[in-house]
């Protein structure tokens, strides 16, 4: 097979520095699973999840062993859900025409970079969507940009993760550029003697705050609330419950909605929509017990900035699978996106007096540890 792409590769990377790119905050911050190259589209890669240990007991000296304490080990699945490509085509006549001007290779470089841009944006969008819908709880005021005057927002986001038992390492906070702009106006972060660094003031680089590595994303989700109103709890619910039975109300309660319960100030994130008289909230569930008839309030629409530990979200990517016999492409080449580190398949397919180039990747994303995710409302 002729190697027709080699001469184009250096120009591809040069073009990536010129074409506009949206900010990606989730892709660099989530876990990347290297086992995904063994998973086909639609198949699931499973990670084990151990349950809490509630079998503690008093030590009573005896000549016999205590009873066995078996546990049911759960799992979370990561499914490769998408295998996508972004094409562009050239005819021989078109190449001849533009070679007299800017040159077909020059234009193709930017076309490749734009294809990578579109692919990365779609993957970032999927990560953002999964992350906020899997959040354990939320903090802040819906419809109000955080970081208005102080650092209470990241402090309380940290508190949620701490209360959930999230390890204190490798935590990230992904925010939109509106929140980023507000954060950059806080005097305590721009005064070098207080911040301990001039990177925010001089370069605009966000600082680590309360052990969160701050990142910005152009794909932060804006959630529109469901229409649910006048719902109350159907029966008593114990602390830790994640399935919520509701009655008497009307309208929808959607995945991603923020709900509160009578006498409980915690803002819980809905995992699955109201159906058949119940909906679910994400782990670790209710932090307090509730009685039959306690009111359920659906919060307002919001912008979903997300704080999480890296292990909470898994992004599995691989190159699309070729048949053992190969396909009709003249050449395939692996291209690494320098912005995100994702690896794409670049191929050239000849036709009748023309050629089509494709940029392709397969991926799936899932939240495996909702307890390690929190939402900062905006």
């Amino acid at each position: 097979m002729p190697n027709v792409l080699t001469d184009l590769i250096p120009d591809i990377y040069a073009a990536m520095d010129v074409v506009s790119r949206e900010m990606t905050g989730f892709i660099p911050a989530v876990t990347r699973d290297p086992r995904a190259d063994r998973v086909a589209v639609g198949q699931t890669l499973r990670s084990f999840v151990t349950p809490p240990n509630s079998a503690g007991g008093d030590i009573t000296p005896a000549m016999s062993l205590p009873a066995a304490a078996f546990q049911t080990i759960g799992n979370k699945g990561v499914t490769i859900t998408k295998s996508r490509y972004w094409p562009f085509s050239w005819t021989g006549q078109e190449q001849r025409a533009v070679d007299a001007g800017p040159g077909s290779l020059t234009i193709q470089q930017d076309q490749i970079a734009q294809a990578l841009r579109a692919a990365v944006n779609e993957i970032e969008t999927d990560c953002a969507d999964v992350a906020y819908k899997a959040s354990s709880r939320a903090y802040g005021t819906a419809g109000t940009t955080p970081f208005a005057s102080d650092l209470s927002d990241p402090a309380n986001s940290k508190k949620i993760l701490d209360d959930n038992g999230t390890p204190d390492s490798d935590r990230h906070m992904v925010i939109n550029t509106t929140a980023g702009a507000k954060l950059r106006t806080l005097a305590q972060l721009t005064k070098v003697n207080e911040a301990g660094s001039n990177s925010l003031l001089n370069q605009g680089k966000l600082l680590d705050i309360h052990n969160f590595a701050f990142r910005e994303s152009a794909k932060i989700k804006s959630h529109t609330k469901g229409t649910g109103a006048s719902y109350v709890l159907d029966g008593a619910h114990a602390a830790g419950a994640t399935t919520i039975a509701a009655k008497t109300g009307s309208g929808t309660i959607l995945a991603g909605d923020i709900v509160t319960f009578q006498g409980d100030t915690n803002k819980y994130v809905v995992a699955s929509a109201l159906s058949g008289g119940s909906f679910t909230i994400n782990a670790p569930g209710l932090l307090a017990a509730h009685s039959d008839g306690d009111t359920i309030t659906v919060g307002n629409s919001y912008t979903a900035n997300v704080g999480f530990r890296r292990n909470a979200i898994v992004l599995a990517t691989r190159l699309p699978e070729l048949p053992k016999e190969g396909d009709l492409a003249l050449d395939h080449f692996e291209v690494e996106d320098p912005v995100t580190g994702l690896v794409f398949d670049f191929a050239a397919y000849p036709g009748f007096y023309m050629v089509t180039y494709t940029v392709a990747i397969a991926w799936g994303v899932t939240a495996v540890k909702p307890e390690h995710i929190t939402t900062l409302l905006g």
Side-chain angles (χ1 to χ4, degrees):
M1 179 184 295
N3 195 348
V4 300
L5 299 178
T6 303
D7 293 339
L8 187 57
I9 298 305
D11 295 325
I12 294 173
Y13 286 104
M16 290 178 192
D17 293 330
V18 178
V19 170
S20 300
R21 294 292 298 269
E22 285 72 25
M23 303 185 77
T24 54
F26 287 97
I27 293 173
V30 300
T31 296
R32 299 275 300 281
D33 198 319
R35 296 175 295 166
D37 59 359
R38 301 200 301 266
V39 182
V41 174
Q43 288 186 329
T44 299
L45 177 69
R46 298 197 176 276
S47 300
F48 68 85
V49 179
T50 56
N53 192 323
S54 57
D58 297 328
I59 296 176
T60 302
M63 292 300 293
S64 59
L65 294 173
F70 295 110
Q71 291 185 325
T72 300
I73 306 301
N75 64 80
K76 289 282 188 177
V78 183
T79 304
I80 300 293
T81 56
K82 293 184 178 181
S83 184
R84 301 263 290 154
Y85 75 103
W86 288 261
F88 58 94
S89 301
W90 283 81
T91 67
Q93 189 64 37
E94 290 170 338
Q95 290 176 336
R96 180 181 179 87
V98 299
D99 280 344
S104 58
L105 287 181
T106 302
I107 299 174
Q108 288 172 15
Q109 294 160 17
D110 282 3
Q111 288 179 303
I112 295 165
Q114 291 285 13
L116 288 171
R117 175 189 185 185
V120 168
N121 284 342
E122 187 168 331
I123 296 171
E124 177 80 359
T125 297
D126 287 352
C127 289
D129 188 63
V130 166
Y132 94 91
K133 290 180 179 177
S135 176
S136 61
R137 292 189 301 285
Y139 178 81
T141 302
T144 301
T145 303
F147 315 116
S149 59
D150 56 32
L151 297 176
S152 59
D153 293 318
N156 282 281
S157 295
K158 172 179 166 58
K159 179 182 184 301
I160 289 174
L161 295 187
D162 290 344
D163 290 345
N164 288 351
T166 306
D168 205 31
S169 61
D170 211 359
R171 293 183 180 183
H172 304 265
M173 178 71 75
V174 184
I175 61 178
N176 66 2
T177 54
T178 302
K182 182 71 73 172
L183 188 60
R184 290 181 176 92
T185 66
L186 293 180
Q188 59 266 51
L189 298 182
T190 56
K191 294 179 180 178
V192 177
N193 62 318
E194 295 182 19
S197 170
N198 66 354
S199 61
L200 181 63
L201 176 63
N202 292 350
Q203 289 90 38
K205 295 180 180 179
L206 296 178
L207 304 173
D208 290 0
I209 302 172
H210 301 323
N211 211 29
F212 285 109
F214 271 75
R215 304 174 184 273
E216 289 172 289
S217 173
K219 301 304 177 182
I220 291 292
K221 306 298 288 189
S222 294
H223 179 79
T224 301
K225 61 171 288 188
T227 59
S230 302
Y231 283 107
V232 299
L233 289 177
D234 185 4
H237 289 63
T242 56
T243 299
I244 308 299
K247 61 183 179 181
T248 75
S250 62
T252 58
I253 298 178
L254 305 176
D257 278 355
I258 306 298
V259 294
T260 56
F261 302 96
Q262 182 178 335
D264 187 347
T265 59
N266 290 288
K267 298 178 179 180
Y268 301 95
V269 181
V270 175
S272 62
L274 176 66
S275 177
S278 67
F279 61 93
T280 63
I281 59 175
N282 288 305
L286 294 174
L287 296 190
H290 288 275
S291 303
D292 178 55
D294 281 358
T295 57
I296 303 171
T297 302
V298 179
N300 292 327
S301 301
Y302 64 93
T303 298
N305 306 291
V306 185
F308 57 94
R309 191 171 188 265
R310 185 181 297 274
N311 74 324
I313 304 165
V314 175
L315 170 63
T317 64
R318 64 166 176 79
L319 301 180
E321 197 67 36
L322 291 172
K324 294 178 181 179
E325 297 80 6
D327 65 3
L328 293 177
L330 284 174
D331 196 7
H332 283 273
F333 196 93
E334 293 182 12
V335 177
E336 181 178 349
D337 174 31
V339 177
T340 62
L342 296 175
V343 177
F344 295 84
D345 176 68
F346 179 42
Y349 289 90
F352 187 67
Y353 288 92
M354 65 178 295
V355 63
T356 293
Y357 297 99
T358 63
V359 172
I361 189 171
W363 76 91
V365 58
T366 193
V368 297
K369 203 71 174 173
E371 303 96 318
H372 295 179
I373 308 174
T374 182
T375 297
L376 179 56
L377 301 175

